[in-house]
Amino acid sequence: MEDCLLKKIEISVSEAEKRTGRNAVNMQETYTAYLIETRAVESQTEGQCSPVDSLWRRYSEFELLRNYLLVTFPHIVVPPLPEKRAEFVWHKLSADNMDPDFVERRRIGLENFLLRVASHPILCQDKIFYSFLTQEGGWKEMVNETGFQLKADSRLKALSATFRVKNPDKRFTELKHYSDELQSVISHLLRVRARVADRLYGVYKVHGNYGRVFSEWSAIEKEMGDGLQSAGHHMDVYSSSIDDILEEEEHYADQLKEYLFYAEALRAVCRKHELMQYDLEMAAQDLTSKKQQCEELATGTVRTFSLKGMTSKLFGQETPEQREAKIKVLEEQIHEGEEQLKSKNLEGRDFVKTAWADIERFKEQKNRDLKEALISYAVMQISMCKKGIQVWTNAKECFSKM
């Protein structure tokens, strides 16, 4: 963490702006651009105020950056982006991705993504990421020149590896099951929260009806009028406070959603390990097959049924010279295969070591973040209940004075 980028520069996504332009097929489109601001930390510690560098990025550019990080660092649990369109929202909130409240929450989420990457001990050192923060023009071309798209594993290949790998690593299998369970649990929690928010909204707004009734009633009463009017005022204030409260709730929901999307990042690491394990097994199988062919040619015996063996019986044996030439070719292939297998084994061990270290780092971060988010959510709920008690305590005093 000594080389953490956040120790050198401050990073923020300070503003979101709605824009209109033309897309790749020359169709007019409306999109949101986000202002990224960076400032050097060193000059501030020396008592000087360093200038702020800023540039605009679209959400699609954030997506391009993350896709590049996923391919370039397959052993890392790459932080997720905030959702492109609103999910798990209570029905009073807009699911429109151009809604100002949604755009603001996404701005916060994008800033959080950049801070996560900048604080990661490995990702923060990537030059493409640094250019994303500091170089507006030519950045896309720079990313594409890395050729990362060619290195990306196809989903079909990954799916094939999942079903065909013979000796999966138990730790990664358990991690994949855990990520599935984590996603399921958080999805369920977000749905419950959305239902509770709907009911809470209804309860608060009903208090607005109390306020209206008490105010109307006060108009026809002389001795009770002031008490009823005051009680109605307390109910109105309580009713109107729900909008700010539920906006705060959405902030906690977004913290949970981040880990909902982290589950897929965990699975991406597991899929890459399965692919590497599958390639290793295929290389070992191919090496064994070549060794067997070489032994059969050298001894003149065929252990298993093969088309080659049948051909030899039908059309006669190969000459010693032909056999020697084939043995020589196979021996070269076996040598190459052994080197390749050794390299894949070493690569696999390095992947497991690095990936597991990052997974442990992620688990510590997850436990810390979710604990903090759930405690804050509980504190908010307690505060809301206290406000409700206070409103009815105030109403009771108003009624007592009538």
Side-chain angles (χ1 to χ4, degrees), residues 230-246:
S230 296
H233 172 71
H234 288 303
M235 297 296 169
D236 287 336
V237 171
Y238 183 64
S239 173
S240 62
S241 67
I242 186 61
D243 297 303
D244 290 337
I245 289 170
L246 289 183

Side-chain angles (χ1 to χ4, degrees), residues 109-126:
L110 291 173
E111 180 177 287
N112 185 60
F113 166 74
L114 293 181
L115 294 176
R116 292 277 197 209
V117 176
S119 62
H120 192 282
I122 296 174
L123 299 180
C124 73
Q125 299 178 47
D126 185 74

Side-chain angles (χ1 to χ4, degrees), residues 380-396:
M380 190 194 75
Q381 295 291 337
I382 292 167
S383 175
M384 286 165 51
C385 293
K386 285 181 177 177
K387 283 180 182 176
I389 292 170
Q390 188 59 50
V391 162
W392 282 104
T393 302
N394 293 339
K396 179 186 173 186

Side-chain angles (χ1 to χ4, degrees), residues 313-343:
K313 286 182 179 181
L314 290 171
F315 302 105
Q317 296 290 332
E318 296 169 316
T319 65
E321 290 79 12
Q322 288 175 321
R323 197 159 54 245
E324 283 298 321
K326 286 189 176 182
I327 288 172
K328 188 176 179 182
V329 170
L330 279 169
E331 283 175 343
E332 288 176 2
Q333 290 176 346
I334 287 167
H335 178 70
E336 288 175 7
E338 285 173 339
E339 290 299 314
Q340 189 181 41
L341 190 63
K342 193 186 296 181
S343 174

Side-chain angles (χ1 to χ4, degrees), residues 290-305:
K290 282 185 169 59
K291 283 182 176 179
Q292 185 178 322
Q293 287 177 45
C294 190
E295 186 183 340
E296 288 172 355
L297 281 169
T299 60
T301 57
V302 180
R303 291 183 182 179
T304 56
F305 171 81

Side-chain angles (χ1 to χ4, degrees), residues 157-222:
K157 186 180 175 185
L159 188 65
S160 174
T162 299
F163 290 107
R164 295 176 69 181
V165 69
K166 294 176 182 176
N167 299 300
D169 189 311
K170 188 179 178 182
R171 290 174 299 174
F172 284 92
T173 303
E174 288 174 352
L175 181 66
K176 192 158 70 167
H177 290 325
Y178 168 76
S179 64
D180 291 340
E181 290 296 322
L182 179 66
Q183 188 173 38
S184 175
V185 166
I186 293 181
S187 296
H188 188 60
L189 184 60
L190 286 165
R191 289 190 186 95
V192 171
R193 188 210 67 86
R195 289 201 298 271
V196 169
D198 275 334
R199 293 184 182 184
L200 202 60
Y201 184 84
V203 168
Y204 268 70
K205 289 306 178 184
V206 164
H207 281 74
N209 294 339
Y210 275 130
R212 190 186 73 253
V213 171
F214 286 147
S215 295
E216 290 173 356
W217 191 2
S218 68
I220 62 171
E221 298 287 352
K222 290 183 179 179

